[in-house]
Amino acid sequence: MLVTGKELLLDAQKKGYAVGAFNINNMEIIQAIIEAAEETNSPVILQASQGGIKYAGIEYISALGKLAARNAKVPVALHLDHGTDFDQVMLCIRHGFSSVMIDGSRFPLEENILYTKKVIEVAKAVGVSVEAELGKIGGTEDHITVDEKDATFTDPQEALRFVNETDVDFLAIAVGTAHGVYKGEPKLDFDRIKTIRETISVPLVLHGSSGVSEEALKKAISLGISKINIDTDLRIAFAEGVKNFIKDNPANIDPRKILTPAKEQMKAKIKEKMEIFGSVNKA
Ligand code: G3H
Ligand code: 13P
Ligand code: ZN
Ligand code: NA
């Protein structure tokens, strides 16, 4: 069934697990995520980035996402990942997304607050939940690259002010993760997660979570992370599946045969993450 992100994350927060939010770009990826969620009885978030929407088209991605969510045996939210402008967020709300992210992290605090508030006013009126971001997460998304040196960790007191003034439903924090593949071992600022958790009460979101060790993810969840975003690890699984199939079956030209092992490999990776997140049997 299709539910809001807020509903899923409040349950996760209460019970001390995290909901996986996996990036969607096409039908096979959506199927891999939904099958993994149903087979593990996990709640899950399907999230489309602006790049994903550009690739598939808003009509296709929203139709596929809503259909998958409505037919699923587990609760599913359809979420916009890193919405960077008001119109894009409105487009997603109009197309039935149950949850949206407005990412004003590139702005100074005051502007980020105003920017986020504008979306929240509309989204709340129509029952759509809102994620915002405070602090700058490193790496590249939607072709915007934040260098390691420009990544700034979330300040707990700023987070308090941000949440009080915006009334946001859940907050993405910058605590040492980065989007994409890590060059070295990522170092998470666990004390910061703990302090932010003690300072604000909304569910917290960890972006850039591919490549973060199982141990670090579990620790982050135990300290109060309730939503974990994964894209890169799924891309790796998908690409491996395609490459291995083509290597072993160079004469095969059937897209269905080529994409099936990719989908299966992705599904296995998603199930692995769900075990780590503790979302298994929480649907
Ligand atoms: O946060 C970034 C996600 O990995 C989406 O990446 O903008 O290339 O779709 P994308
Ligand atoms: P990764 O690609 O590093 O998993 O990050 C995903 C993400 O944060 C999507 O918003
Ligand atoms: Zn992200
Ligand atoms: Na990452």
Side-chain angles (χ1 to χ4, degrees), residues 23 47 81-82 178-180 207-210 229-233:
N23 284 75
Q47 59 183 15
D81 187 31
H82 294 284
H179 291 105
H207 282 247
S209 309
S210 292
N229 287 12
I230 300 276
D231 188 9
T232 301
D233 280 347

Side-chain angles (χ1 to χ4, degrees), residues 145-253:
T145 300
V146 177
D147 284 342
E148 213 94 309
K149 62 174 171 31
D150 293 326
T152 28
F153 287 6
T154 307
D155 178 81
Q157 285 309 313
E158 283 192 6
L160 179 62
R161 183 174 159 209
F162 187 90
V163 171
N164 283 341
E165 292 191 22
T166 60
D167 196 24
V168 74
D169 293 312
F170 35 106
L171 186 69
I173 54 173
V175 289
T177 56
H179 291 105
V181 178
Y182 290 100
K183 287 181 204 98
E185 176 81 7
K187 277 198 195 65
L188 271 67
D189 187 343
F190 293 110
D191 290 338
R192 189 175 298 267
I193 300 176
K194 188 167 177 282
T195 309
I196 295 172
R197 175 69 302 149
E198 288 163 356
T199 312
I200 60 174
S201 61
V202 296
L204 302 176
V205 184
L206 191 67
H207 282 247
S209 309
S210 292
V212 178
S213 72
E214 172 174 346
E215 191 194 0
L217 289 173
K218 283 185 169 160
K219 191 166 176 190
I221 295 166
S222 76
L223 293 171
I225 294 289
S226 307
K227 173 176 183 270
I228 298 193
N229 287 12
I230 300 276
D231 188 9
T232 301
D233 280 347
L234 303 195
R235 293 183 183 193
I236 293 169
F238 198 86
E240 259 178 28
V242 170
K243 284 179 201 166
N244 287 337
F245 181 84
I246 290 177
K247 182 160 58 71
D248 297 342
N249 306 274
N252 197 302
I253 56 155

